[in-house]
Amino acid sequence: MIRRLFPRSPSKPGAFTTVRATILLIGFVPSLVLVIAITTVAGVRIERAVDDREWATEIVAAIPAVVAITDATFHERDLTLRRIAGEAVDYSELVGYRGQLDAAGVDLTKTMAALSEMAPVQVDPLIAQYGAAVVELGASRQRVDAGKEALLDAYGLYSRLAQLGAKVIEMMAHQAPTVPTVVATLESNELYCAVDDMTLAHSLAATLVVNGALPPEIMREFVRRVGGYRTALEQSSTGPAANDLAKLTSSASWRTLSSIEDTLLGIGVKPVRSSMSAAGDGNANLPVGVNEDAWAAALVQVQKDLSGIWSQYFRTIQLSAQSEADAALRSALLTGLAALVAAVITLVVAVRIARRVSGRLKRLRHETLALTDEQLPAIIGRIRQAQVVVDTDIALPTLEFGTDEIGQVADAFNRAQQGAVTAAVVEAKTRSAVNAVFVNIANRSQQMMHRQLEILDEAELRQRDPAMLDLLFKLDHLATTERRNAENLIILGGARPGRRWNNPVPLVDVVRSAISETHDYVRVYPAQMPEVQVEGEVVADVIHMLAELIDNATSFSPLECRVEVSGILVGRGVAIEIVDQGVGIPSEELERLNTELSKTFDFSVLELSSDSRLGLVVVAALAARNEITVKLAESDFGGTRAIVLIPLHLLTVPGQQTADSEMSAAR
């Protein structure tokens, strides 16, 4: 099966025949992404497990404070309500429980502050409520000691404190890591409420000892509390604390307390003096069968046992939650480690495959760029230089990359470069033919212009009429301009004009000849020129270049403005400046024109339009052919300055030439 999916290349062992097969292997990368996702999930689980463990640890650390504050609250409430009802209670015992409640509250506040950092939304409101309750409790204690606190007011305050404890346990349940822990914590909350209801019910019933009857509102609350805690214990009798509750409900203390509760529920709000014990045992305000000492002993024992069942169950739940958090942390760490190992293995496989494919692609890129940037331009350059006889099969190297998709891409490039070279050959032949046509037509036109100029010269010599002579001069000037246009075609066609000079010509004569060939020569003012001569072989090209530049200057400047031509001898040769007073050229266009003037002329990239400055194209061709530098710049008058630098090797200085001749003669 693996051989079918990933067949081996017969020509190159270890290479895969298709990119598709390679991509199938690289398809393991999505698996790597999946592993990374699993690792991320494991990381989240680890973070959650760490948070759950810290939470469970803080809860376990808070258990002593929770149990202590619960026990102190219940005892202080019982003694406080009895004291308000008028019963003689041990004040030192009450103060002791107050101190226990305050100390446990401080410890619990510290734990709640630690829990607040992990779950501020759930914990901060409870901390605020507890702080308000502590302030209210301090004021209530002062009123109790002064004998000014109402029974129902104190009852309401301690009820809110007990309810706040239930809210804390409920909050712990909502933050528990697992569903079983949530359920168990809520069950422990039911036991907590049962202890609260039982102790509060008997604290209310204690008013019977003093008053001999239960007021209606207290009797209703007593009935509700007794029914509430009995119902809660019945529901918890099938849970994890069932055995402990069964032992409690079968004890003598429980039976005594239940019997007293039934008796109190039976008398309702009626006075009990008529049914006082004749023997005089017990308080005179208690119903028959209710002994105050037995009641107190049974209540203390049942409250102790029930509180112990609740605290032990609560502690067991939180320790179990801590163990579950440790197990979840270990599981998340193992999952993350397994995902990391899988990711490393997948990454190693993917990297090896990717390296193999990328190596071939890099080699293809390198060889393709070598062909594109070096070999192919050289071949096309030779073709464009009229070397049209090129054996493309030998001159063009081919890319060999097998028969797979990468090899097919290489073959496509081979075909593309073959087509490019073929097109270049066709283009070179076409351009050569067009150039030949241009040159042929231009030569014929130039011959006719030469003949016409000869006839005009002969007519000028015979003519004596000034008006007719002026007309002949104008025709002579037009014919000279037409000859220059014909020479433009010859130059663009790659040939040289027919005019030749064998000997050097003074620069001033060259400049004057160029001015005479321009259309508006009367506006051109030549300045003094250096006493140098231009080599005869380049005289025609220099005259043509200067004529085109002067013609442009006169064409693109106002008719009333003059064009100045000046020359100066510099270190590298002679610089001729042609300055007009026209509108100038924008800087971007000026930069583009200078770039074109510095390039070797290529007719294949010439773009002709109705506004094309063909003269500058001719100037660029002549400058490149003779190594002359031409540059355009902004003039002092806002127009354009054309600077033509004729190098030294194209010049002859008369004094230097004489000195050279004398040295040769001396030798």
Side-chain angles (χ1 to χ4, degrees):
M1 183 65 180
I2 295 178
R3 292 180 181 272
R4 292 179 182 177
L5 287 176
F6 312 116
R8 298 286 185 177
S9 171
S11 60
K12 197 172 185 180
F16 298 99
T17 57
T18 63
V19 175
R20 178 177 178 274
T22 306
I23 293 176
L24 287 177
L25 284 179
I26 298 178
F28 282 111
V29 173
S31 301
L32 176 60
V33 175
L34 181 61
V35 171
I36 294 175
I38 295 175
T39 306
T40 303
V41 173
V44 174
R45 288 184 56 195
I46 291 174
E47 183 179 2
R48 178 60 188 273
V50 171
D51 293 341
D52 291 342
R53 189 181 186 282
E54 292 179 357
W55 180 269
T57 302
E58 293 295 337
I59 295 299
V60 171
I63 289 176
V66 173
V67 173
I69 199 171
T70 300
D71 184 70
T73 300
F74 292 163
H75 282 90
E76 180 181 345
R77 178 179 60 189
D78 180 62
L79 294 175
T80 299
L81 294 181
R82 290 175 183 272
R83 180 182 176 88
I84 294 174
E87 184 179 348
V89 298
D90 187 352
Y91 183 73
S92 61
E93 183 181 7
L94 176 60
V95 172
Y97 281 120
R98 286 177 178 177
Q100 292 180 15
L101 178 59
D102 294 340
V106 172
D107 295 338
L108 184 62
T109 301
K110 295 179 181 179
T111 302
M112 295 292 286
L115 296 177
S116 174
E117 296 180 358
M118 293 180 279
V121 176
Q122 292 78 14
V123 178
D124 288 349
L126 297 178
I127 294 177
Q129 295 177 24
Y130 180 76
V134 169
V135 174
E136 188 176 355
L137 180 62
S140 176
R141 286 173 176 174
Q142 294 178 359
R143 290 193 296 272
V144 170
D145 293 342
K148 298 180 180 180
E149 182 69 296
L151 179 66
L152 293 180
D153 292 340
Y155 165 77
L157 172 59
Y158 285 104
S159 296
R160 289 194 297 275
L161 278 173
Q163 290 173 2
L164 186 59
K167 290 181 180 179
V168 171
I169 298 175
E170 185 177 358
M171 180 270 298
M172 295 177 180
H174 291 162
Q175 295 296 119
T178 61
V179 174
T181 304
V182 173
V183 175
T185 305
L186 291 177
E187 290 178 352
S188 72
N189 196 27
E190 294 293 330
L191 285 176
Y192 170 83
C193 293
V195 178
D196 178 44
D197 288 340
M198 187 201 69
T199 56
L200 185 56
H202 286 273
S203 296
L204 292 174
T207 59
L208 180 65
V209 178
V210 179
N211 300 324
L214 295 177
E217 63 276 10
I218 294 180
M219 186 62 197
R220 285 193 298 270
E221 190 65 19
F222 175 78
V223 172
R224 186 177 71 84
R225 294 287 182 172
V226 171
Y229 96 83
R230 287 187 177 184
T231 302
L233 293 182
E234 289 178 1
Q235 293 176 350
S236 301
S237 61
T238 57
N243 294 332
D244 294 333
L245 290 176
K247 293 179 182 179
L248 174 63
T249 55
S250 61
S251 64
S253 299
W254 176 266
R255 289 193 298 271
T256 300
L257 197 64
S258 297
S259 175
I260 293 174
E261 290 172 354
D262 293 339
T263 301
L264 296 177
L265 291 172
I267 67 170
V269 298
K270 297 180 294 182
V272 297
R273 293 184 184 277
S274 59
S275 57
M276 288 187 299
S277 173
D281 53 339
N283 191 287
N285 290 334
L286 295 177
V288 176
V290 177
N291 183 276
E292 183 179 1
D293 295 335
W295 184 6
L299 178 61
V300 170
Q301 187 62 42
V302 171
Q303 180 179 350
K304 178 181 178 182
D305 294 342
L306 190 56
S307 297
I309 293 173
W310 167 77
S311 61
Q312 182 61 35
Y313 184 42
F314 183 72
R315 184 187 302 274
T316 302
I317 292 171
Q318 301 309 320
L319 291 175
S320 176
Q322 189 177 28
S323 300
E324 291 175 356
D326 292 338
L329 179 58
R330 289 192 297 270
S331 175
L333 289 173
L334 291 176
T335 302
L337 181 61
L340 181 60
V341 172
V344 171
I345 294 174
T346 306
L347 185 60
V348 170
V349 174
V351 165
R352 294 188 62 182
I353 296 172
R355 183 179 298 173
R356 179 179 301 173
V357 176
S358 64
R360 297 183 64 201
L361 292 175
K362 287 180 180 178
R363 188 165 63 89
L364 174 61
R365 175 179 176 274
H366 176 73
E367 295 184 10
T368 302
L369 289 177
L371 288 175
T372 304
D373 297 338
E374 299 174 7
Q375 301 176 16
L376 188 58
I379 294 172
I380 294 179
R382 295 207 313 269
I383 293 173
R384 288 182 174 178
Q385 292 173 3
Q387 301 177 11
V388 295
V389 182
V390 176
D391 189 352
T392 57
D393 294 333
I394 298 176
L396 287 178
T398 57
L399 302 174
E400 298 292 342
F401 279 85
T403 59
D404 62 359
E405 283 82 351
I406 297 179
Q408 294 171 10
V409 172
D411 184 62
F413 182 80
N414 291 333
R415 295 184 182 182
Q417 72 168 351
Q418 184 73 30
V421 172
T422 302
V425 171
V426 174
E427 178 192 356
K429 291 180 179 180
T430 303
R431 185 171 63 251
S432 178
V434 172
N435 289 347
V437 172
F438 279 173
V439 172
N440 190 16
I441 294 175
N443 283 329
R444 292 183 180 183
S445 299
Q446 191 180 33
Q447 292 175 2
M448 294 176 64
M449 290 299 104
H450 282 309
R451 180 57 182 162
Q452 184 178 355
L453 287 172
E454 290 175 358
I455 295 173
L456 288 173
D457 288 341
E458 184 178 353
E460 290 171 0
L461 292 174
R462 295 179 180 180
Q463 185 58 245
R464 294 294 182 266
D465 185 0
M468 184 60 67
L469 188 59
D470 181 64
L471 180 60
L472 290 175
F473 283 153
K474 291 181 179 179
L475 289 175
D476 184 278
H477 180 70
L478 289 175
T480 302
T481 304
E482 288 298 326
R483 182 182 64 184
R484 181 158 54 86
N485 289 336
E487 289 179 351
N488 284 345
L489 292 178
I490 295 174
I491 294 169
L492 294 178
R496 286 184 175 272
R499 291 188 291 172
R500 294 286 189 275
W501 277 267
N502 296 325
N503 299 319
V505 178
L507 178 61
V508 63
D509 294 337
V510 173
V511 174
R512 287 173 180 173
S513 297
I515 294 174
S516 66
E517 291 187 4
T518 59
H519 176 69
D520 202 0
Y521 62 91
V522 296
R523 293 170 48 206
V524 182
Y525 290 83
Q528 177 126 16
M529 295 291 167
E531 295 181 0
V532 296
Q533 296 178 346
V534 181
E535 294 292 338
E537 61 182 4
V538 298
V539 168
D541 290 348
V542 173
I543 292 174
H544 201 113
M545 288 175 57
L546 296 177
E548 291 293 343
L549 292 172
I550 295 171
D551 209 14
N552 279 342
T554 57
S555 299
F556 294 96
S557 61
L559 296 177
E560 65 276 7
C561 295
R562 54 192 283 175
V563 174
E564 296 181 355
V565 181
S566 61
I568 184 174
L569 189 63
V570 295
R572 294 171 55 189
V574 170
I576 301 175
E577 291 189 356
I578 303 168
V579 182
D580 64 46
Q581 300 177 15
V583 296
I585 302 175
S587 57
E588 296 81 3
E589 181 68 11
L590 196 64
E591 183 178 356
R592 186 189 68 81
L593 291 176
N594 282 323
T595 302
E596 296 297 330
L597 288 171
S598 63
K599 292 182 179 178
T600 301
F601 170 73
D602 187 0
F603 188 75
S604 62
V605 298
L606 178 63
E607 297 181 0
L608 297 178
S609 65
S610 60
D611 192 28
S612 177
R613 298 178 180 178
L614 188 60
L616 292 182
V617 177
V618 176
V619 170
L622 293 174
R625 186 163 66 188
N626 297 292
E627 300 181 1
I628 297 175
T629 303
V630 180
K631 185 176 181 181
L632 302 179
E634 184 179 357
S635 71
D636 297 335
F637 308 102
T640 304
R641 173 188 288 112
I643 304 172
V644 180
L645 179 61
I646 303 175
L648 288 174
H649 69 274
L650 299 179
L651 301 173
T652 299
V653 180
Q656 182 179 2
Q657 184 179 15
T658 303
D660 293 340
S661 300
E662 292 177 354
M663 290 179 63
S664 299
R667 290 177 183 177

